[in-house]
Amino acid sequence: MKGTNFKAALSALALAGVVAMVFPAAAQQWPELSPVEKIYADLAKLPADERAKRIEEGAKKEGTFILVHTLRGELGNGHINLFRKRYPFLKVEATADIGSQDAAERLYAEETSGRHLTDVIGIGLPDGREVLAKNYAARYPTPATDKIYPPLKKFNDPQNRWVLFFWSEHGMSYNSNLVPANKAPKDWFDLCDPFFKGSVSFDPAETRFISGIYNIMGEEKTIKWFECLGANNPIIQRGHTQRMELMLAGDHMAQGDNYLYQGLQIKKKNPSAPYVIVYSAPMIASMGGSLINRFAPHPYASALWMDWSVTDESQQYISNQLRGPVTMKHPYLPDDVTLVDNLDPPQDVADRLMAAWMKNVEKKR
Amino acid sequence: MAMSDTTPAPRASARAASGFRLDWRTIVLVLLVLGLAYQVVIPFVMIIWTSLKTVRPGDPEFLSLTVTFANYARAFGSSGFWAATWNTLSFATASTLAAFIVGAFIAWVVERTDTPLAKLIGMILIGRIIIPGILITISWILIASPNIGILNQFINQMFGVRNFFNIYTFWGMVWVQSIEMVPLTYLLLSASFQAMDPRLEEASTMTGAGNWRTLRRISLPLALPAALAALMLLFVTSIETFEVPLLMGGRAGIRVFSTEIFFNTSRTPIDWGLSATYSVAMLSVCIALLFVYFRLLRHGERYQTVTGKDFRPRRIELGRWKYLTSALALLIVFIITGIPLLMMIYVSLLGFYQAPSWAAVQSMSLDNYRTLFSSASAMMPMLNSTILGIATATAVVLVVSLIAYFVHKTQIRGRKLLDYLAFAPIAIPSVILGSTFLWFYLLVPVPVIGTLTIIGLAYLTKYLPFALRFVSNSMMQIHPELDEAAQVAGVPWWRNFFKVTLPLLKPGLLAAWFWVMVHAYRELTVALMLARSENRTAAVLIFDFWDRGSFMQISAFGVLMFSLLLVLVLISHWIGKRYGIQDQH
């Protein structure tokens, strides 16, 4: 994470430009503060200790906290349970069964209907576009974000509408029982080698993956890659984790797009699993965080969660689960790996790339 | 009130209806229409409206009266739409025919012949229904996938032929989908076969016709309503099915309507307009099917076999052939239930997936089961699903019994509208149904969000079409002379309905109740969309396992569910016997 490539890649993203491109609302005037935001603005004026005390007291009075956590299943529940243990006075009504996009969709639906039912949702930054554009996220200035690892601070929102607490990486990997060392892929274009014909898998079109590849290669090269990849007849199969299981069982040789930690989790259970990560090719970093509903029914409890999410306790849990923490070193990625974000390219470019993927890679029948 | 309690004869009923006479039956009918309008019309209006909009629900422009056909132009102008249409129709046709032939054979063997072990065969097949389709699909992927499929490895070792089978093909999809639907076919047909009057067959036999001729000329035509209903339900089930196209179609390069809708609603930003347009296309196919179905069955009285005279369905004596039918049925049941179940048991004992080998056997443990039992968070969803399953099944069966009664046993004008209304939701994909209910109850201040009630209401809509076909088949077989006898005796309409009609419908009602209960128990998509912290269901747990990619844990869960079901089937079998269902045998 401290490597020059990583820093260089992140530095290449001019913050203002990125935010303005991805979240149109960012470039607009700040709208009037909601009652929840007024509380947060007042809290921001207090010294840190007093602020923390006020938040905890407020949360105690509220007694309840409604969260949609998008690290799904046991992973999310384990995280929530740590929070519950830390603040036993709060009744945490949590949902950890839906993904980031569905969480954004839920908040959008509730707020559009004028129903304020949710306090906080977890979110992958590319999925927050509409919620932010509609101004459904509260501005929550907090000193807790000071702890965020310097290269990642670029992903903080100047309007304080989200707090980062994890990130995930997409990259290439292969089954070393099927791919000899001399054939091992080193770069994305190596997947076009006829050796891999019919034996490289991807999920169906995903904006976040295609956007990441665009940020690695640029438009022209991305389309060329789609063309040669398509000629190699890749496997398109839904389900990142399932594909990883299948690849390691010998179903196919390599994966062009998957969360790399999933193979490591399998390797933890079965050290002989023939799993190799391709570190030499640039990887795609997917940033994730929490945002508070602008009309959250429990503003203090929400603030408590946001601040807690970047504490050592929370971040260590994220790291132990092989996800990327935002305040400490990544649990397994080497320092010199090149990471690129997947914030959306301009809409017209995204449309062209999606069409090129569909035409060349998925070749829909 | 007393004046309205007596049911008029059907013809008189028509007169009464034309004269707008208000009686209890009319009140129930009006309530039924209003209830159906609430449960069914609202989602449809939402879908059609969304298909005519380029902005998403929630946008202020969404409620404006300006409409556009842009989504239709976009869909019809894309080759993907026509490819998906062709794929959907061919996949549904092939799967339906295969499932129907096999299911009808087993229903006939079990219900109408003296085949040994018939009851066991039927019970195993019914028990199979509870295993979620996603598990069956995964099992077949692990059985017949190229490179790692057990069958392929076996053939490779024995004959040196690599990748003999490839499950990721059109026919692979048809294979898995059709065997997934065989139990449904069996369930749909068996109730109807149980209610057949043997005297018609005996008369045929007495005139010198053999078993085959009697089957062809008497038994099969009598089963026509049930057969058509089964064909129609299988067809629309195949159109709406999701697991097989998602898990296998992607790799086979075959997109169908359901996966198109899924992909359009799982991308950012969600393309609600195009998804709704695909839903309207699905709806059109289903309405066309329903129209054909009603045309074919417009002379319902031809299929009435349950009259006021007592009868016991005759079992055809097959002689020595009964051993062949038994062996064949057992083989089919083994392929449908045994192979995937064995695969699930095998995988559930592994720490990570690997092909069968001595090393695999050595690595086996019960860890996956231990993990399941130690998960305290599994209890509440299991309880929620049990409540939802039982409540939904009971409500659905009561509503469809009334609908079937009005449609088939009265002459009230416009009664077919009930059938159309109750059947139409079959065309609503679950993802659209879930979001429609969510949006509706967000906009309407009824405090059901986050409760089991909202999921139950959505399930009521979702399962009406299936239950209705189960019950309608049985209702059509009941001769009006029973109704008429009750009227002559001065029995009030409602009493006749509960004391005469419902008991005669028991086979169909139980089949419908069981089918809805099981499917409501394992339903995922709607539950996921409407779930909050307090109303999570068991299927959501399965999804968690699936999402984490644990073939092993999800298999362990499947084995446990199947075991639980066997107990439930035995209990329902006992209840059926206790209350006389089996007396008809």
Side-chain angles (χ1 to χ4, degrees):
Chain A
M1 294 273 293
K2 289 174 185 167
T4 49
N5 283 342
F6 176 51
K7 283 184 177 171
L10 293 178
S11 302
L13 302 166
L15 176 63
V18 169
V19 173
M21 178 179 69
V22 178
F23 306 120
Q28 296 167 5
Q29 282 284 318
W30 290 14
E32 196 180 325
L33 297 182
S34 71
V36 170
E37 289 172 313
K38 278 182 187 154
I39 292 173
Y40 295 154
D42 290 342
L43 284 172
K45 294 172 194 159
L46 300 173
D49 287 353
E50 177 61 20
R51 180 182 174 280
K53 195 177 154 201
R54 192 79 69 84
I55 288 174
E56 196 162 329
E57 281 170 358
K60 265 184 195 165
K61 277 185 199 156
E62 288 168 349
T64 304
F65 172 50
I66 303 165
L67 169 71
V68 180
H69 200 311
T70 51
L71 293 181
R72 290 192 256 181
E74 276 180 7
L75 176 62
N77 285 325
H79 199 218
I80 295 161
N81 286 339
L82 277 181
F83 180 69
R84 283 191 177 115
K85 259 189 200 166
R86 175 66 51 196
Y87 302 107
F89 54 81
L90 267 182
K91 183 191 174 202
V92 183
E93 294 179 9
T95 303
D97 310 311
I98 59 175
S100 169
Q101 181 191 286
D102 291 333
E105 187 64 28
R106 179 178 290 187
L107 183 65
Y108 186 101
E110 290 174 0
E111 291 305 310
T112 307
S113 316
R115 306 284 294 276
H116 310 307
L117 303 173
T118 301
D119 288 315
V120 170
I121 62 168
I123 193 115
L125 292 196
D127 298 324
R129 191 183 195 129
E130 288 188 82
V131 166
L132 295 171
K134 282 279 181 182
N135 194 28
Y136 291 145
R139 280 143 193 88
Y140 176 62
T142 171
T145 52
D146 295 346
K147 295 181 198 164
I148 288 178
Y149 195 55
L152 299 178
K153 280 193 173 167
K154 292 172 185 297
F155 294 99
N156 283 340
D157 179 26
Q159 294 189 45
N160 302 309
R161 292 171 300 174
W162 65 77
V163 172
L164 299 172
F165 75 89
F166 75 98
W167 61 282
S168 316
E169 74 302 325
H170 274 255
M172 282 193 287
S173 59
Y174 61 90
N175 179 327
S176 56
N177 284 346
L178 302 177
V179 181
N182 63 336
K183 285 286 182 186
K186 294 180 179 58
D187 187 63
W188 290 94
F189 271 89
D190 290 346
L191 298 179
C192 298
D193 186 327
F195 173 75
F196 291 107
K197 196 168 185 79
S199 205
V200 180
S201 75
F202 294 86
D203 252 49
E206 281 191 327
T207 311
R208 62 185 76 179
F209 173 66
I210 293 174
S211 303
I213 291 291
Y214 164 78
N215 287 342
I216 293 171
M217 302 182 186
E219 185 176 355
E220 197 182 333
K221 217 170 159 191
T222 299
I223 291 175
K224 274 189 184 151
W225 185 62
F226 288 169
E227 284 168 358
C228 75
L229 204 59
N232 231 6
N233 197 21
I235 294 165
I236 305 296
Q237 190 162 3
R238 177 85 188 181
H240 291 100
T241 330
Q242 294 76 27
R243 279 195 298 113
M244 186 63 82
E245 294 262 5
L246 289 172
M247 181 184 83
L248 296 183
D251 180 68
H252 55 278
M253 294 179 186
Q255 308 214 324
D257 139 51
N258 214 328
Y259 296 105
L260 299 170
Y261 55 75
Q262 291 183 330
L264 290 176
Q265 280 174 330
I266 294 173
K267 213 168 164 63
K268 249 171 130 181
K269 278 193 214 166
N270 169 29
S272 66
Y275 181 61
V276 180
I277 293 172
V278 179
Y279 289 114
S280 54
M283 293 178 186
I284 300 163
S286 219
M287 305 307 300
S290 301
L291 60 82
I292 302 177
N293 178 2
R294 197 158 169 257
F295 297 95
H298 310 102
Y300 289 99
S302 304
L304 206 57
W305 167 266
M306 300 295 264
D307 289 359
W308 176 81
S309 69
V310 282
T311 59
D312 287 351
E313 182 181 35
S314 160
Q315 291 293 297
Q316 193 58 57
Y317 175 84
I318 297 289
S319 176
N320 292 345
Q321 302 299 317
L322 302 177
R323 269 45 164 201
V326 295
T327 64
M328 52 183 76
K329 190 176 172 350
H330 194 278
Y332 66 86
L333 284 183
D335 287 346
D336 58 351
V337 71
T338 305
L339 286 161
V340 177
D341 76 83
N342 63 355
L343 297 179
D344 291 358
Q347 194 57 47
D348 58 329
V349 177
D351 290 345
R352 283 198 295 275
L353 292 177
M354 184 61 81
W357 170 276
M358 286 300 191
K359 182 183 163 198
N360 296 293
V361 184
E362 290 204 24
K363 292 181 275 191
K364 242 186 338 180
R365 284 197 283 274
Chain B
M1 293 292 177
M3 58 95 187
S4 56
D5 277 351
T6 310
T7 309
R11 286 179 199 290
S13 154
R15 285 196 298 275
S18 61
F20 296 107
R21 190 178 141 193
L22 187 69
D23 57 15
W24 273 112
R25 196 161 63 168
T26 311
I27 292 169
V28 171
L29 178 65
V30 169
L31 289 175
L32 210 51
V33 171
L34 290 176
L36 279 178
Y38 181 75
Q39 284 290 120
V40 176
V41 175
I42 287 168
F44 273 103
V45 169
M46 188 93 177
I47 288 168
I48 294 168
W49 190 251
T50 308
S51 76
L52 297 170
K53 290 288 187 179
T54 50
V55 292
R56 47 171 296 156
D59 191 294
E61 181 60 22
F62 184 78
L63 294 176
S64 78
L65 295 177
T66 317
V67 294
T68 170
F69 288 95
N71 292 317
Y72 290 90
R74 205 151 49 102
F76 296 160
S78 103
S79 59
F81 175 83
W82 299 109
T85 304
W86 169 250
N87 288 338
T88 304
L89 294 178
S90 48
F91 170 66
T93 305
S95 306
T96 297
L97 290 177
F100 182 80
I101 291 167
V102 178
F105 169 73
I106 294 184
W108 178 74
V109 164
V110 171
E111 302 298 341
R112 300 307 318 277
T113 71
D114 62 344
T115 298
L117 303 176
K119 275 188 183 172
L120 178 71
I121 292 166
M123 276 174 62
I124 295 175
L125 212 52
I126 288 176
R128 158 67 185 75
I129 292 174
I130 205 165
I131 305 176
I134 199 165
L135 278 173
I136 297 296
T137 311
I138 292 171
S139 294
W140 280 103
I141 286 174
L142 298 178
I143 290 165
S145 171
N147 300 322
I148 59 165
I150 285 176
L151 268 179
N152 280 318
Q153 294 196 341
F154 176 73
I155 290 171
N156 190 20
Q157 280 172 11
M158 294 297 289
F159 309 105
V161 179
R162 281 201 74 226
N163 297 338
F164 184 78
F165 292 107
N166 182 1
I167 200 77
Y168 299 114
T169 59
F170 175 81
W171 291 109
M173 289 169 65
V174 169
W175 168 260
V176 177
Q177 180 61 27
S178 54
I179 61 173
E180 167 70 9
M181 294 193 303
V182 166
L184 170 62
T185 318
Y186 166 75
L187 208 54
L188 280 163
L189 294 179
S190 60
S192 171
F193 282 4
Q194 280 178 37
M196 272 186 188
D197 188 343
R199 282 165 298 206
L200 300 168
E201 290 167 335
E202 279 160 12
S204 165
T205 312
M206 283 168 68
T207 59
N211 276 343
W212 168 241
R213 195 178 159 97
T214 301
L215 174 72
R216 198 161 46 89
R217 302 294 297 273
I218 305 293
S219 308
L220 289 183
L222 278 176
L224 186 65
L228 286 177
L231 281 167
M232 188 175 55
L233 279 183
L234 294 174
F235 193 83
V236 288
T237 301
S238 306
I239 287 178
E240 211 243 2
T241 196
F242 180 61
E243 289 95 341
V244 171
L246 181 72
L247 299 184
M248 295 165 63
R251 191 151 165 180
I254 295 166
R255 292 280 190 98
V256 296
F257 282 163
S258 60
T259 42
E260 287 295 313
I261 290 166
F262 173 77
F263 289 128
N264 284 321
T265 51
S266 58
R267 285 195 194 111
T268 305
I270 292 177
D271 198 337
W272 288 109
L274 198 59
S275 301
T277 307
Y278 273 97
S279 300
V280 171
M282 278 172 71
L283 175 65
S284 307
V285 173
C286 293
I287 287 176
L289 278 174
L290 194 61
F291 179 75
V292 172
Y293 172 76
F294 281 132
R295 286 290 298 167
L296 290 171
L297 295 183
R298 60 191 181 279
H299 301 298
E301 71 281 359
R302 290 179 187 167
Y303 311 103
Q304 290 158 352
T305 55
V306 180
T307 66
K309 304 177 191 82
D310 185 30
F311 74 91
R312 300 172 80 79
R314 184 180 71 111
R315 287 186 173 262
I316 299 163
E317 290 171 11
L318 296 173
R320 281 180 301 175
W321 290 101
K322 68 183 179 186
Y323 298 109
L324 179 66
T325 53
S326 181
L328 203 53
L330 280 171
L331 177 67
I332 292 168
V333 167
F334 178 70
I335 291 171
I336 291 171
T337 308
I339 290 180
L341 189 62
L342 286 174
M343 191 70 203
M344 271 192 280
I345 293 170
Y346 167 71
V347 175
S348 72
L349 297 170
L350 298 175
F352 58 95
Y353 181 72
Q354 53 191 315
S357 64
W358 180 237
V361 173
Q362 282 181 313
S363 76
M364 283 179 173
S365 75
L366 293 173
D367 286 352
N368 295 313
Y369 292 93
R370 276 192 210 104
T371 308
L372 280 180
F373 282 118
S374 65
S375 173
S377 60
M379 293 315 293
M380 180 59 87
M382 297 289 260
L383 181 65
N384 284 343
S385 284
T386 307
I387 294 169
L388 268 176
I390 292 172
T392 305
T394 307
V396 167
V397 163
L398 186 63
V399 170
V400 298
S401 304
L402 287 165
I403 293 171
Y405 175 81
F406 281 109
V407 171
H408 297 289
K409 296 295 155 204
T410 72
Q411 300 296 316
I412 298 172
R413 269 187 297 174
R415 64 193 183 284
K416 288 260 169 70
L417 178 68
L418 283 175
D419 216 341
Y420 278 102
L421 275 176
F423 187 71
I426 201 158
I428 309 178
S430 298
V431 64
I432 303 281
L433 185 71
S435 64
T436 301
F437 270 78
L438 178 63
W439 275 103
F440 182 72
Y441 285 105
L442 280 170
L443 294 167
V444 175
V446 180
V448 293
I449 287 181
T451 66
L452 289 179
T453 308
I454 189 170
I455 301 178
L457 286 169
Y459 283 177
L460 184 63
T461 301
K462 184 174 170 61
Y463 295 118
L464 275 177
F466 293 92
L468 182 61
R469 294 278 73 83
F470 278 108
V471 177
S472 284
N473 295 338
S474 300
M475 187 69 87
M476 286 170 76
Q477 290 178 316
I478 299 175
H479 198 282
E481 70 183 38
L482 296 164
D483 232 4
E484 288 159 13
Q487 289 157 27
V488 169
V491 178
W493 165 79
W494 58 269
R495 200 165 170 195
N496 179 36
F497 178 76
F498 284 104
K499 294 281 182 184
V500 178
T501 310
L502 284 188
L504 286 171
L505 285 174
K506 268 181 190 170
L509 290 181
L510 266 189
W513 190 90
F514 180 78
W515 194 92
V516 174
M517 193 272 287
V518 168
H519 282 78
Y521 197 96
R522 66 182 224 188
E523 199 283 335
L524 173 65
T525 314
V526 172
L528 255 186
M529 298 205 73
L530 300 175
R532 292 287 196 272
S533 60
E534 303 297 315
N535 64 350
R536 297 171 75 230
T537 65
V540 175
L541 267 189
I542 294 179
F543 180 75
D544 282 349
F545 293 137
W546 161 245
D547 193 53
R548 277 181 272 146
S550 179
F551 291 151
M552 286 60 70
Q553 278 198 344
I554 200 172
S555 296
F557 198 75
V559 172
L560 287 179
M561 278 180 85
F562 186 79
S563 311
L564 178 70
L565 177 83
L566 276 187
V567 175
L568 284 176
V569 169
L570 287 172
I571 292 171
S572 64
H573 183 71
W574 176 80
I575 291 172
K577 212 167 179 179
R578 171 100 168 71
Y579 292 98
I581 309 302
Q582 300 304 318
D583 290 350
Q584 291 179 20
H585 283 254

